[in-house]
Amino acid sequence: MTKSEALELLSEKIEAMTALQMAGSLINWDAATLGVPKKSLPARSASMGWLEGEHFRYFISADTLEAIETLEACETELSEHEQLMVRELGLEYRKLKAVPEEEVEAFGALVAEAQPVWETAREKRDFEMIQPYYEKILIYQRKLCDWYGYENHPYNALLNDYERGANVEMLDGFFTQLRKSIVPLLKKIIEKNNQPAEIKGNFSVEKQKELTAWLVKMVGYDLSRGKIGEVEHPFCTTITRNDVRITTKYHEDNVLSSIYSIIHECGHAIYEQNMAAELDKYYLGDCASMGIHESQSRLYENMIGRSRPFAAQILPELRKSFDFFADWNEDMLYRAINVAKPSLIRIEADELTYALHVMVRYELEKALISGEIEVADLPKLWADKYEELIGVRPSNLAEGVLQDVHWSAGLFGYFPTYAVGTAYGVQLLNTMKKTVDIDKAILNNDLSPITAWLTENVHKHGKMLTPAEILEKATGEPFNAKYYVEYLAEKFTDLYL
Amino acid sequence: MTKSEALELLSEKIEAMTALQMAGSLINWDAATLGVPKKSLPARSASMGWLEGEHFRYFISADTLEAIETLEACETELSEHEQLMVRELGLEYRKLKAVPEEEVEAFGALVAEAQPVWETAREKRDFEMIQPYYEKILIYQRKLCDWYGYENHPYNALLNDYERGANVEMLDGFFTQLRKSIVPLLKKIIEKNNQPAEIKGNFSVEKQKELTAWLVKMVGYDLSRGKIGEVEHPFCTTITRNDVRITTKYHEDNVLSSIYSIIHECGHAIYEQNMAAELDKYYLGDCASMGIHESQSRLYENMIGRSRPFAAQILPELRKSFDFFADWNEDMLYRAINVAKPSLIRIEADELTYALHVMVRYELEKALISGEIEVADLPKLWADKYEELIGVRPSNLAEGVLQDVHWSAGLFGYFPTYAVGTAYGVQLLNTMKKTVDIDKAILNNDLSPITAWLTENVHKHGKMLTPAEILEKATGEPFNAKYYVEYLAEKFTDLYL
């Protein structure tokens, strides 16, 4: 195979995978926004399965490897984009090939089976029901560590899969700092018992939708290159580079829910919308990592959306739409959108405690993978850790160990990206504010200086840089958790102590 | 290749084509219901093109032909479904193979280019603009006749492509009967000048949507196995056998438009929903022909939806929603939904004159294909034929020869299916009414006896029977246009003379 034949072949593969991925994304969007007729599920799953399988078959074929190896052998003759394309495809190819095909299939069937069992187990608060599935899934995850390979701790193999370069050493350091600073801070806040007024009332969905329109404009999500849908569990999905869609859910009794889910998904979408267009054909038009993706959504959601100037800007909008806010002032709102109190459910946790919820899962996963603990130990250890770190103990398994879908879906090593991503976000913000007047941008209802900085330093690079490279290039130093810890300490001390 | 290898291979091909087709249908549904961001069009088209190409590549490969030939050689050992599967795939394969690949591609590019040109030409009423495209498209259509092969008239090759078994002899007979009976009838109706009251007012879209809910239930479209979308140009699309979607468009000033587009699409959807489920895996879960599909939509739309008992049933619903109908009675409504007057635009034509609009196009296409006339003759001949058959002459090209998208899209031979389908519908109805009390079903707001008869005689067979076989089996005789002509003459004589 010549160099140009190899490039041509990979380009064809990428074209095929792009088309299959677009189809898959649209099928999922359609299901989430419109629902699937129950009787249509089997045929739909069969076709979806074929499309996913085809994606895999297209990529994992002998000629792909030959092309990758051909290009690796003449790396210096390639453009930078081509080199990185070969690096990405090579990593992906070898990762997929590392796992025996029959194991992939068996595991796919296992998690498909586990999914409804987890739902029922959670409903019935019955751990024994899901336990054998968790055990089988864990066995596979442990094998996965060996197949992928690792240095030092086996969990590193899984961490690295979702967050390139992440490892136990880095995360232990990160969570140790958090524990040292945030756990005592939370205790002090609880003792002080100085809680903000609660936002509770009846908020018309129609009015919430108007607020959504204001929000996406304010935040800078380009609606002419996307759409907004309503779903049960909000997400962001990329159909094409110029069709990046966000979703939300409206609750009549909770106006903050849709506001912050919208800002969060806008953060994801703005990242996707601003990747350099030329990356797509090199298979580089994708996020650097899950953590970097989360850094963008959390930066917009928390560091901007829960800031004091943002409270000042959104208050008149809220007043316009909802009588509830008639007597509210900026300070009350700023406090109300920054609750800080112990809670049991991760996805409802506030900014201060969120990473502690992740820490519980991180420590349990690490110990499960290394064999220090077993699945049967989870319910008690989970409750103990919540009590130790957050100061609350679940009264049942649905608000305890059975609350997350991840383990039954076979996702081990994923949770830490949520916390690390948030910390990336603060580190980026910390550098950004040296050259961008963030408060002024917010007070102008125009975040474009912020988005421009993020586009230049994060978005446009897509997958060309690793998470570590992005941080190093943008902030001049490697990942450093202290910015996040200091940010939380400062913000919540100021608010509550 | 052994028999079982061949069956296995075709089954895999069908699985792949089903998945690719589902993806394509969903992508189109998404575009029609939600719109496509303009900047997303190139990437979307590229992926759509790949998926369509893949469908073709999957099917047209040497192993498919080998499997078809293997199974043709042992036909007697196959089940009925397998035999018919081999027949269908064989026909399809050879048809596709009959056209040189480079010609298919060039033609695809030609019609893609012609599409926006036609839009502009229609807008500017400029025939010369589109003429060179029509000419090139016509050259291709003439070649297509040779590639497909035909007996007697070359146009038969194209007719047969959309309507298996249709030919010039059959259609000449059909349209001759129509001309003899309907043209003078229309003239008499015009002379009598006894037009019904007009339905014109402001009809809230919200109320129209409530009426839609009533209609789909009444007509018997199973909404639990489908969805309703809003689009610019209504259509019906099958995602899976149990997810058949319809669409409509609401006009504030025209309540009849959404009513009849809904009933029409329900007719298509009920056909798709009631094909026997086991047909799909044999590639037989599809319509027998475009004409048979149209027979179902027109039967529901016209023969049921514009009947006197239907007027009786829908009037109270209209009264509930719209003050406009406060003083209306059943007879007024029955007449108002059965306008019969000359018009220029096919898609807005009434039941009586619709087939005359089709006849204009049929006669022109036939003469174009045989070379009796040339593209340049079209504007004048079009206007002459409208004047001769319908008694009106277009005052400009947008309401004349440039009104339809078909020719610029390369669809020659398609128009006749609209008229023939309607005639099939009447012939079926004529037999159905011997055993089903149609009026009673309508007056009960329960069309299930009608749907049951159609399912038994038409729907469930999918592609297992040809159009001719369906008619023969259901009505005991071959296609006979007299039922349609008599039905129109009787209905409109009764209404207007």
Side-chain angles (χ1 to χ4, degrees):
Chain A
M1 200 181 274
T2 67
K3 174 190 148 197
S4 68
E5 281 167 354
L7 285 170
E8 175 67 24
L9 183 93
L10 291 187
S11 154
E12 277 167 25
K13 299 271 173 183
I14 290 170
E15 188 193 357
M17 291 191 288
T18 303
L20 290 163
Q21 216 160 305
M22 183 191 91
S25 299
L26 256 186
I27 293 170
N28 284 334
W29 157 273
D30 181 79
T33 54
L34 296 179
V36 181
K38 208 173 164 193
K39 287 186 180 161
S40 180
L41 275 172
R44 188 186 185 104
S45 303
S47 288
M48 191 68 185
W50 185 88
L51 292 165
E52 280 168 2
E54 189 66 359
H55 188 277
F56 181 82
R57 286 185 293 274
Y58 243 88
F59 184 53
I60 297 293
S61 61
D63 56 351
T64 307
L65 183 61
E66 197 187 336
I68 290 170
E69 285 173 349
T70 301
L71 296 171
E72 282 171 341
C74 61
E75 201 192 344
T76 53
E77 297 166 37
L78 301 177
S79 74
E80 192 194 357
H81 282 82
E82 287 165 351
Q83 283 179 18
L84 291 168
M85 171 183 77
V86 173
R87 178 186 78 180
E88 287 309 311
L89 293 175
L91 277 170
E92 187 70 13
Y93 190 95
R94 288 169 184 123
K95 190 187 98 176
L96 289 171
K97 268 295 187 189
V99 187
E101 225 170 286
E102 64 282 8
E103 295 266 7
V104 175
E105 265 176 45
F107 185 66
L110 175 63
V111 296
E113 212 185 307
Q115 206 54 26
V117 176
W118 165 72
E119 279 169 32
T120 314
R122 185 177 60 159
E123 212 172 279
K124 300 196 169 172
R125 295 148 191 211
D126 180 351
F127 190 75
E128 281 175 26
M129 209 170 179
I130 192 71
Q131 186 176 330
Y133 290 91
Y134 279 176
E135 281 165 352
K136 283 185 206 158
I137 288 169
L138 178 60
I139 290 171
Y140 182 83
Q141 297 296 319
R142 287 173 179 161
K143 287 198 269 183
L144 212 48
C145 299
D146 290 329
W147 290 324
Y148 287 169
Y150 58 87
E151 284 178 26
N152 305 320
H153 199 292
Y155 190 35
N156 289 346
L158 304 179
L159 293 171
N160 179 65
D161 190 29
Y162 297 109
E163 192 59 29
R164 193 173 297 184
N167 55 47
V168 161
E169 191 188 350
M170 158 189 170
L171 288 167
D172 281 348
F174 170 63
F175 284 119
T176 303
Q177 286 194 56
L178 266 183
R179 181 196 293 258
K180 223 159 48 185
S181 171
I182 305 308
V183 172
L185 175 60
L186 178 61
K187 282 208 179 110
K188 275 191 229 157
I189 291 173
I190 300 168
E191 279 161 22
K192 191 88 172 203
N193 194 17
N194 173 24
Q195 287 299 313
E198 215 179 338
I199 298 176
K200 226 181 160 83
N202 204 300
F203 306 97
S204 121
V205 169
E206 223 37 63
K207 293 282 180 191
Q208 290 194 51
K209 286 186 186 174
E210 287 171 32
L211 192 59
T212 293
W214 180 84
L215 273 174
V216 300
K217 193 159 177 282
M218 150 81 170
V219 172
Y221 163 65
D222 183 354
L223 195 50
S224 82
R225 300 194 292 133
K227 289 179 205 318
I228 306 174
E230 283 181 58
V231 298
E232 191 55 35
H233 304 289
F235 62 91
C236 165
T237 185
T238 295
I239 309 298
T240 73
R241 181 68 44 233
N242 290 307
D243 188 0
V244 179
R245 305 184 183 183
I246 60 172
T247 56
T248 191
K249 183 177 181 179
Y250 296 102
H251 301 267
E252 277 231 318
D253 61 346
N254 186 349
V255 67
L256 293 189
S257 169
S258 72
I259 291 175
Y260 287 100
S261 94
I262 281 287
I263 304 177
H264 183 95
E265 301 310 333
C266 278
H268 283 306
I270 290 168
Y271 182 17
E272 293 281 335
Q273 287 187 325
N274 289 319
M275 287 177 196
E278 73 264 23
L279 297 183
D280 288 331
K281 64 172 181 287
Y282 298 101
Y283 215 60
L284 296 167
D286 198 357
C287 64
S289 72
M290 300 317 294
I292 293 290
H293 230 313
E294 202 68 10
S295 78
Q296 301 307 294
S297 55
R298 296 270 167 192
L299 191 153
Y300 280 93
E301 179 193 348
N302 290 333
M303 292 140 237
I304 293 169
R306 297 186 204 272
S307 68
R308 190 181 283 275
F310 197 88
Q313 293 314 98
I314 201 175
L315 182 58
E317 299 303 318
L318 289 169
R319 276 226 203 86
K320 241 190 274 170
S321 298
F322 309 110
D323 292 342
F324 176 86
F325 293 97
D327 302 325
W328 280 61
N329 62 38
E330 182 187 318
D331 191 59
M332 282 169 75
L333 183 62
Y334 175 53
R335 288 167 52 81
I337 59 180
N338 284 296
V339 171
K341 61 178 181 192
S343 64
L344 287 161
I345 305 293
R346 176 184 56 85
I347 58 168
E348 293 166 7
D350 53 58
E351 189 182 2
L352 181 69
T353 57
Y354 187 81
L356 302 178
H357 291 258
V358 174
M359 199 190 318
V360 171
R361 289 147 177 88
Y362 166 72
E363 294 186 349
L364 293 173
E365 283 190 355
K366 188 174 64 161
L368 280 169
I369 294 294
S370 69
E372 286 161 67
I373 65 170
E374 287 303 327
V375 168
D377 307 327
L378 281 175
K380 181 172 180 308
L381 289 176
W382 179 286
D384 289 348
K385 282 200 182 290
Y386 259 81
E387 197 159 2
E388 175 201 345
L389 292 172
I390 312 183
V392 281
R393 199 172 178 92
S395 65
N396 65 61
L397 296 174
E399 59 180 33
V401 70
L402 291 180
Q403 70 182 265
D404 297 301
V405 69
H406 300 59
W407 291 340
S408 59
L411 299 169
F412 276 74
Y414 192 102
F415 283 120
T417 67
Y418 295 133
V420 167
T422 316
Y424 290 165
V426 179
Q427 184 171 340
L428 290 166
L429 191 90
N430 193 62
T431 301
M432 186 202 302
K433 70 184 176 198
K434 292 174 192 164
T435 50
V436 177
D437 190 337
I438 293 172
D439 287 1
K440 193 176 138 199
I442 299 172
L443 292 171
N444 283 342
N445 278 3
D446 174 13
L447 304 191
S448 57
I450 298 171
T451 304
W453 190 94
L454 289 170
T455 297
E456 190 54 33
N457 288 281
V458 182
H459 304 167
K460 75 169 190 187
H461 302 300
K463 231 181 165 58
M464 286 189 68
L465 302 179
T466 65
E469 287 165 346
I470 286 174
L471 286 178
E472 188 88 41
K473 240 180 113 132
T475 72
E477 62 175 316
F479 172 54
N480 189 340
K482 88 169 177 181
Y483 299 109
Y484 177 42
V485 174
E486 283 174 6
Y487 159 84
L488 286 178
E490 199 176 310
K491 177 171 180 178
F492 286 90
T493 300
D494 177 56
L495 271 160
Y496 288 104
L497 298 178
Chain B
M1 200 179 275
T2 67
K3 174 189 149 197
S4 68
E5 282 167 354
L7 284 171
E8 175 68 24
L9 183 93
L10 291 186
S11 155
E12 276 168 24
K13 300 270 173 185
I14 289 169
E15 189 193 355
M17 291 191 287
T18 303
L20 290 163
Q21 216 161 304
M22 183 192 90
S25 299
L26 255 186
I27 293 170
N28 284 333
W29 157 273
D30 181 78
T33 55
L34 296 179
V36 181
K38 208 174 164 193
K39 287 187 180 159
S40 181
L41 275 172
R44 189 186 183 104
S45 303
S47 288
M48 191 68 184
W50 185 88
L51 292 164
E52 280 168 1
E54 190 65 359
H55 188 278
F56 181 82
R57 287 185 293 273
Y58 243 88
F59 184 53
I60 296 294
S61 61
D63 56 351
T64 307
L65 182 60
E66 197 188 336
I68 290 170
E69 286 173 345
T70 301
L71 296 171
E72 282 171 342
C74 61
E75 201 193 345
T76 51
E77 297 165 39
L78 301 176
S79 73
E80 192 193 357
H81 283 81
E82 287 165 351
Q83 282 179 20
L84 291 169
M85 171 182 77
V86 173
R87 178 187 78 182
E88 287 309 311
L89 292 175
L91 276 170
E92 188 69 12
Y93 190 96
R94 287 166 185 126
K95 191 187 96 175
L96 289 171
K97 269 294 188 190
V99 187
E101 225 170 285
E102 64 282 7
E103 294 267 8
V104 175
E105 266 176 44
F107 185 67
L110 175 63
V111 295
E113 211 186 308
Q115 206 55 26
V117 176
W118 165 72
E119 279 169 33
T120 314
R122 185 177 60 160
E123 212 173 279
K124 300 197 167 172
R125 294 148 192 211
D126 179 351
F127 191 76
E128 281 174 26
M129 207 170 179
I130 192 70
Q131 186 176 329
Y133 292 91
Y134 280 176
E135 281 164 353
K136 283 184 206 157
I137 288 169
L138 179 59
I139 290 171
Y140 182 84
Q141 297 296 318
R142 286 173 180 160
K143 286 198 271 183
L144 212 47
C145 299
D146 289 329
W147 290 323
Y148 287 167
Y150 58 86
E151 284 178 24
N152 304 321
H153 199 291
Y155 190 34
N156 287 346
L158 304 178
L159 292 172
N160 179 66
D161 190 29
Y162 298 108
E163 193 60 28
R164 193 173 296 185
N167 55 46
V168 162
E169 192 188 351
M170 159 190 168
L171 288 167
D172 281 348
F174 170 65
F175 284 118
T176 303
Q177 285 193 56
L178 266 183
R179 179 195 293 260
K180 224 161 48 189
S181 172
I182 306 307
V183 173
L185 175 59
L186 178 62
K187 282 210 177 107
K188 274 192 229 157
I189 290 174
I190 299 168
E191 279 160 23
K192 191 90 173 203
N193 193 18
N194 172 23
Q195 287 300 313
E198 217 178 335
I199 298 176
K200 224 179 163 81
N202 203 301
F203 305 97
S204 122
V205 169
E206 224 37 63
K207 293 281 181 193
Q208 289 193 51
K209 286 186 186 174
E210 287 171 33
L211 192 59
T212 292
W214 180 84
L215 273 174
V216 299
K217 193 158 177 283
M218 151 82 171
V219 172
Y221 163 64
D222 183 354
L223 195 50
S224 81
R225 300 194 292 133
K227 290 178 204 318
I228 307 174
E230 283 181 57
V231 297
E232 192 54 36
H233 305 289
F235 62 91
C236 164
T237 185
T238 295
I239 309 298
T240 72
R241 181 68 44 233
N242 290 308
D243 187 1
V244 179
R245 305 184 183 183
I246 61 172
T247 57
T248 191
K249 183 176 180 179
Y250 295 102
H251 302 266
E252 276 232 317
D253 61 345
N254 187 348
V255 67
L256 292 190
S257 169
S258 72
I259 291 175
Y260 288 99
S261 94
I262 281 287
I263 305 177
H264 183 95
E265 301 309 334
C266 278
H268 283 306
I270 290 168
Y271 182 16
E272 292 282 336
Q273 288 187 324
N274 289 319
M275 288 175 194
E278 74 265 22
L279 297 182
D280 287 331
K281 65 172 182 286
Y282 297 101
Y283 216 59
L284 297 167
D286 197 356
C287 64
S289 72
M290 300 317 295
I292 293 291
H293 229 313
E294 202 67 10
S295 78
Q296 301 307 295
S297 55
R298 297 270 166 191
L299 190 152
Y300 281 94
E301 178 192 348
N302 290 334
M303 292 140 239
I304 294 170
R306 297 187 203 272
S307 69
R308 189 181 284 275
F310 196 88
Q313 294 314 97
I314 200 174
L315 182 57
E317 300 303 318
L318 288 169
R319 277 226 201 85
K320 242 190 275 171
S321 299
F322 310 109
D323 292 342
F324 176 87
F325 292 97
D327 302 325
W328 282 61
N329 62 37
E330 183 187 317
D331 190 59
M332 281 168 76
L333 183 62
Y334 175 53
R335 287 167 52 83
I337 58 179
N338 283 295
V339 171
K341 61 179 182 194
S343 63
L344 288 160
I345 306 292
R346 176 184 57 83
I347 58 168
E348 293 165 7
D350 55 57
E351 189 182 3
L352 181 69
T353 58
Y354 187 81
L356 302 178
H357 291 257
V358 175
M359 198 188 318
V360 170
R361 289 146 177 87
Y362 166 72
E363 293 186 350
L364 292 173
E365 282 190 355
K366 188 174 65 162
L368 280 168
I369 293 294
S370 68
E372 285 162 68
I373 64 170
E374 288 302 330
V375 168
D377 306 327
L378 281 175
K380 182 172 180 306
L381 289 176
W382 179 286
D384 289 349
K385 282 203 183 286
Y386 260 82
E387 196 158 4
E388 176 202 345
L389 291 172
I390 311 183
V392 282
R393 197 170 180 94
S395 65
N396 65 60
L397 296 175
E399 59 179 34
V401 71
L402 291 180
Q403 70 182 264
D404 297 302
V405 70
H406 299 59
W407 291 340
S408 60
L411 299 169
F412 276 74
Y414 191 102
F415 282 121
T417 67
Y418 296 133
V420 168
T422 316
Y424 290 166
V426 178
Q427 184 170 340
L428 290 165
L429 190 90
N430 193 62
T431 302
M432 186 202 303
K433 70 183 177 199
K434 291 173 191 164
T435 51
V436 176
D437 189 338
I438 294 171
D439 287 1
K440 194 177 139 197
I442 300 172
L443 293 170
N444 284 342
N445 279 2
D446 174 13
L447 305 191
S448 58
I450 297 171
T451 304
W453 191 93
L454 289 170
T455 297
E456 190 53 33
N457 288 281
V458 181
H459 305 167
K460 74 169 190 187
H461 301 300
K463 231 181 165 56
M464 286 189 69
L465 302 178
T466 65
E469 286 166 346
I470 286 174
L471 286 178
E472 188 88 41
K473 241 181 111 135
T475 72
E477 62 175 318
F479 172 55
N480 189 339
K482 89 169 177 183
Y483 298 109
Y484 178 43
V485 174
E486 282 174 8
Y487 158 85
L488 286 178
E490 199 176 309
K491 177 173 180 177
F492 286 89
T493 300
D494 176 56
L495 270 160
Y496 287 104
L497 300 178

